[in-house]
Amino acid sequence: MAGRDLEARTAVAEHEESLLEKGGYHRPGIIERAPVLAPGHTAGSVTDKISSVVLSGTPRWFYPAFGLSFTLMMVLFASMGKLFWEGTGIWGVNQPVGWGFDIINFVWWIGIGHAGTLISAILLLLRQEWRTSINRFAEAMTIFAVACAGMFPLIHTGRPWLAYWLLPYPNTMGMWPQFRSPLIWDVFAVSTYATVSLLFWFVGMIPDLATLRDRSTKRIAKVLYGMAAMGWRNSAKHWHEHEVASLLLAGLATPLVLSVHTIVSFDFAVGIIPGWHATIFPPYFVAGAIYAGFAMVLTCTLPLRRAFGLHDFITDRHLDNMGKVMLATGLIVAYGYGIEAFTAWYSANQYETFMMWNRLFGPYRFHYYALLLCNVIAPQALWWRSVRVSPVGVWTVCMFINVGMWLERFIIIPASLHRDFLPSSWGIYHGSIWDWGIFVGTIGLFLTLLFLFVRFMPMISIFEMRTLVPEARGVESSPGAVAGSVEP
Amino acid sequence: MSSQDSGGRLYGLMAEFETPGALIAATEKSRQAGYRKMDAYAPYPIEELVHALGHHHSKLPMMVLGGGIIGCLAGLGLQVYVNALAYPLNIGGKPVLSWPAFVPVTFEMTILFASLTAVLGMLALNGLPTPYHPVFNLPRFSAASRDRYFLCIEATDPRFHAEGTRQFLESQGPTEVSEVEY
């Protein structure tokens, strides 16, 4: 039985090898596609290339880049220090706008995180091989984005040192949380999401930490990577349980990621504020999260690919596919905007109608026009393949989306709150300098963690890349022959 | 490499192969020859290798199912206890046992417990963390995480014989057969 498996795999591999001679891996299909891994690589060369990013010393550009991120992170700590000393009065929030930058940033960051889980879990279950070279990085991005996101609900309570009151535990006050509130659902959703993402990331990294342990020459690196790898020895039995665990975690993380942004959208949809109280919110939020997340993955990986010369692993195929995902989710988001407007009109409810009129012609109209430009118009460029495979083109679209998704949350949150039901309680909202300090500071925290990650951990899953090389697919020819056959 | 005759206790004999196909074939032959206490090492998961070692089903899925059921009951039980028994509040005239509102937290707890079981179960079934293992005493073994394939027949196997097993392994076309000591 095992032998027949191998024969079948060899047949597939030989077919692929013949395609390889024509210039790279192709799926048997009508459309010519770029390869997921540049031809000519072996398990050894893939291992050496990716581990050299970590083991071959710090590149010179790293210091200014890390220094800038670290400075921005200090802005976060300074702004938080001021916040804890003075209280939330330093922010722009007041009646009627009680949720401002804190909740905008929370939703923005947690949405960005969703792409990591999508790439690592959902695309794993769908057997999308191209995800292999970006999943580790995207998962790391998830964790750092969730770390940034998780801070905001805590600091927005005003007394973050009492944040543990959110947890159900027997206490001398005799009080318990109220489980009919979406805000307490958030506590469980976000903490579960952070835990499961961390576990998934770590489990995937164990074999690669063992690789770094075996490759590193410095004693301290050997000891630290060795401890983190926990004695992984590449045994077939280890691999078997590891694969089963990874698939199970992927299966568990898939509904989880959909539930998290659904529950975040319930924070709004369960309220009766016009602009929030809509049944379209869960799917529209989830699509927006994937949209924002893919944009952020590309925003970060494109410069890193250039800096570390990883063009063999992150190819045009990746840009093309991710561009398509962004286009599809962007269209769902645009549909969401359309349905919001349609519902406002069709409901014949004067408050809903006014909400939509206010978006188009009220004090935040330019925010709304900018949102439509960034999230609806700009990504239409992704219909063209030449834009999708152009690093500059796709990066520009991604920056539009990053800004657009932040504006979307601005439109949903303060712009829905600032016109209360009675004109006597209308107001206007602007972020204060401390709001901006905390927002920019979380970008610093995110980038600092990301830079530390690419410097000390394998940013591409080494063992999964090994499974993409011809020898792992059953081609028994020597590596040189494969490499030679594709040379022009 | 294999010339350590310092009198250390023998863990087993390690054969090194250049291709996954050679390792799978050698593992199948070893099993046919009656060896059971052995393990194969490769730089990535190879499904055939697990079959060749005669190790088919993982207990992990059932453990994860159990973890998920416990998490589900714990999540629901927590909310029923808190909102219906310990601290009943009238929220908009809803019944104290308003179970549809308890679905999100129950779901999250199910996923959390199942995921923790998957990770801790995987580590437990693999015996990790393992602070010390004799296979690492072989300097060449670090190539198992790069592009080399190893088969180790352990000395505790009843059919193990220092000379006979070495001859058997050498007949399988390895690049090298080495002794692994404790």
Side-chain angles (χ1 to χ4, degrees), chain A residues 114-263:
Chain A
H114 280 45
T117 319
L118 182 97
I119 292 170
S120 58
I122 300 182
L123 297 186
L124 175 72
L125 296 180
L126 296 177
R127 295 177 178 274
Q128 294 294 307
E129 258 173 10
W130 60 274
R131 65 175 265 291
T132 303
S133 63
I134 48 169
N135 74 337
R136 169 73 46 73
F137 182 81
E139 276 169 39
M141 208 193 69
T142 295
I143 290 159
F144 306 147
V146 171
C148 291
M151 248 162 31
F152 282 104
L154 300 184
I155 62 174
H156 121 115
T157 59
R159 289 184 289 170
W161 48 92
L162 296 177
Y164 63 90
W165 284 6
L166 292 165
L167 302 173
Y169 71 104
N171 56 63
T172 51
M173 300 176 286
M175 298 218 292
W176 289 91
Q178 211 284 95
F179 281 105
R180 293 176 200 91
S181 162
L183 300 185
I184 206 78
W185 303 348
D186 246 8
V187 174
F188 281 81
V190 175
S191 58
T192 300
Y193 186 48
T195 312
V196 173
S197 304
L198 199 62
L199 290 173
F200 200 14
W201 184 59
F202 177 65
V203 164
M205 211 149 51
I206 294 172
D208 287 354
L209 291 167
T211 301
L212 290 177
R213 170 198 66 201
D214 296 342
R215 297 275 88 69
S216 54
T217 45
K218 291 191 188 115
R219 174 86 188 144
I220 177 86
K222 264 191 181 322
V223 169
L224 290 177
Y225 287 126
M227 277 161 64
M230 297 190 297
W232 178 268
R233 53 183 189 275
N234 299 300
S235 139
K237 291 169 190 164
H238 281 188
W239 282 122
H240 181 55
E241 301 292 354
H242 186 266
E243 262 201 315
V244 172
S246 301
L247 279 173
L248 286 169
L249 281 174
L252 292 165
T254 299
L256 175 66
V257 67
L258 300 179
S259 83
V260 173
H261 227 55
T262 299
I263 290 174

Side-chain angles (χ1 to χ4, degrees), chain A residues 227-376:
Chain A
M227 277 161 64
M230 297 190 297
W232 178 268
R233 53 183 189 275
N234 299 300
S235 139
K237 291 169 190 164
H238 281 188
W239 282 122
H240 181 55
E241 301 292 354
H242 186 266
E243 262 201 315
V244 172
S246 301
L247 279 173
L248 286 169
L249 281 174
L252 292 165
T254 299
L256 175 66
V257 67
L258 300 179
S259 83
V260 173
H261 227 55
T262 299
I263 290 174
V264 169
S265 83
F266 284 164
D267 291 344
F268 306 103
V270 172
I272 52 160
I273 306 288
W276 288 8
H277 199 55
T279 48
I280 189 79
F281 261 39
Y284 153 56
F285 265 53
V286 170
I290 295 164
Y291 187 46
F294 269 68
M296 189 56 95
V297 170
L298 280 168
T299 307
C300 300
T301 40
L302 287 173
L304 285 171
R305 174 176 91 147
R306 193 182 160 86
F308 289 113
L310 298 171
H311 297 74
D312 283 1
F313 305 142
I314 302 167
T315 64
D316 283 354
R317 172 85 166 271
H318 296 92
L319 302 192
D320 192 21
N321 284 358
M322 291 174 83
K324 284 178 189 163
V325 174
M326 285 196 294
L327 182 59
T329 48
L331 290 173
I332 299 175
V333 169
Y335 172 79
Y337 299 154
I339 285 293
E340 278 188 317
F342 172 79
T343 312
W345 168 73
Y346 194 68
S347 71
N349 177 310
Q350 62 167 320
Y351 296 105
E352 290 283 343
T353 319
F354 174 72
M355 178 276 295
M356 206 57 222
W357 182 89
N358 187 46
R359 274 188 189 179
L360 285 167
F361 307 110
Y364 295 117
R365 61 187 178 280
F366 291 113
H367 292 71
Y368 192 59
Y369 303 152
L371 156 70
L372 294 179
L373 169 73
C374 291
N375 272 1
V376 180

Side-chain angles (χ1 to χ4, degrees), chain B residues 4-180:
Chain B
Q4 306 131 322
D5 44 13
S6 52
R9 216 147 51 85
L10 192 66
Y11 171 75
L13 282 172
M14 180 84 86
E16 180 182 336
F17 299 90
E18 274 197 328
T19 62
L23 174 63
I24 295 164
T27 309
E28 276 171 354
K29 286 273 174 56
S30 308
R31 195 168 158 77
Q32 281 159 16
Y35 293 109
R36 290 295 177 271
K37 293 222 157 200
M38 58 180 174
D39 206 346
Y41 304 88
Y44 46 83
I46 300 174
E47 206 186 331
E48 291 88 344
L49 212 49
V50 182
H51 297 305
L53 285 166
H55 179 81
H56 289 282
H57 292 290
S58 170
K59 292 190 193 116
L60 201 53
M62 289 314 279
M63 290 163 67
V64 171
L65 176 66
I69 291 171
I70 291 170
C72 176
L73 295 176
L76 191 61
L78 172 77
Q79 296 175 87
V80 169
Y81 170 74
V82 165
N83 280 168
L85 301 171
Y87 201 67
L89 279 177
N90 184 341
I91 305 290
K94 295 187 188 80
V96 285
L97 207 67
S98 51
W99 69 267
F102 299 160
V103 169
V105 171
T106 307
F107 175 78
E108 300 298 330
M109 293 284 277
T110 309
I111 299 286
L112 180 66
F113 274 56
S115 304
L116 285 170
T117 315
V119 175
L120 298 177
M122 185 274 285
L123 294 179
L125 290 173
N126 279 344
L128 299 175
T130 310
Y132 171 80
H133 198 276
V135 289
F136 291 109
N137 292 337
L138 190 69
R140 292 282 306 150
F141 187 70
S142 64
S145 65
R146 189 171 178 272
D147 60 350
R148 285 292 181 272
Y149 306 82
F150 293 88
L151 175 65
C152 185
I153 298 184
E154 291 157 27
T156 48
D157 191 285
R159 283 176 180 264
F160 185 86
H161 183 269
E163 270 316 300
T165 304
R166 171 180 281 275
Q167 276 169 16
F168 168 77
L169 280 174
E170 272 168 358
S171 69
Q172 302 302 316
T175 50
E176 197 169 317
V177 177
S178 321
E179 288 179 356
V180 179

